[in-house]
Amino acid sequence: MKARTAFLGLLTAGVVGTAAWLVFFSPVLGVRSIEIVGNLTVPSERIKQQAGVPDLHPLATVNLADVESRVLGIRQLAKAKVDRIWPGTLKIEVVEREPVAAIPAGGKVAIVDKQGVVIEVKSAAPPMLPLLKVDNPAVGDPAMTAALQVIQAVPAALAPKVREVRAGTAEGVTLLLSDGRTVIWGGADRPKEKARILTSLLKREKATVYDVSSPDVVTLK
């Protein structure tokens, strides 16, 4: 009886040991494919290379947090989520940063997202992005933060006509339109009211300057 029990114990230990070896050490359940989801402009191959996971590396021992961190080294990406899909697929879901403005920088332009993070540097600004001019073009700068918030609050129909956005202070955001008109927006407060009033004014009032910085008292020049 004791011999039988010992034999069953050894057999169980052997099965468990083999299973552990298959899962954690062998290439049998290794990474055979990497699935990239959510990328539009960043090539999948670039993301796979940045992930740094060798073929057939045991899927169970892939450090998902480390892979996410490496993938986010691509500055065009805002988010990354990595999951295991058994038996041999690593799924990387990403969210790309969306360009909202171009900041002049030493003869070139830095393309930034809504948080002011530089996505890439180009020789010229894309035609649909407004130029953003602030004294201190840095993430977290109050004037820059306000200007970026205003850019996002501009009505969709008007956005393509915004040629330039200037902000000397967080309360002094001004829009220059492609037809030569100027919009004094002010701070980033009350964006929906300002957008609604501005849309109405531009349709029915002819002026060169529209001041909606205080929605309660709008002035035209």
Side-chain angles (χ1 to χ4, degrees), residues 11-23 25:
L11 181 61
T12 301
V15 170
V16 171
T18 300
W21 178 81
L22 286 172
V23 172
F25 300 101

Side-chain angles (χ1 to χ4, degrees), residues 31-158:
V31 177
R32 298 181 180 276
S33 66
I34 298 179
E35 179 185 358
I36 309 298
V37 179
N39 58 315
L40 298 174
T41 62
V42 181
S44 294
E45 286 304 315
R46 183 182 177 192
I47 297 174
K48 291 178 183 179
Q49 184 178 13
Q50 189 74 16
V53 180
D55 290 343
L56 302 181
H57 180 96
L59 185 60
T61 64
V62 174
N63 190 313
L64 304 186
D66 284 352
V67 175
E68 290 176 2
S69 179
R70 289 195 294 269
V71 168
L72 288 177
I74 301 175
R75 60 185 177 183
Q76 288 93 335
L77 300 180
K79 297 179 181 179
K81 185 177 184 298
V82 183
D83 291 305
R84 298 181 182 89
I85 300 179
W86 298 97
T89 299
L90 196 67
K91 180 180 178 181
I92 303 176
E93 186 173 358
V94 301
V95 176
E96 294 185 351
R97 295 187 184 278
E98 182 179 351
V100 299
I103 301 177
K108 295 186 177 183
V109 292
I111 309 302
V112 299
D113 70 355
K114 63 182 181 180
Q115 296 174 327
V117 175
V118 177
I119 300 173
E120 58 183 324
V121 176
K122 291 190 172 185
S123 58
M128 297 304 290
L129 291 183
L131 283 177
L132 174 56
K133 294 186 177 181
V134 293
D135 295 334
N136 182 29
V139 175
D141 175 72
M144 182 167 172
T145 299
L148 291 170
Q149 291 175 346
V150 170
I151 289 173
Q152 295 171 78
V154 170
L158 178 60

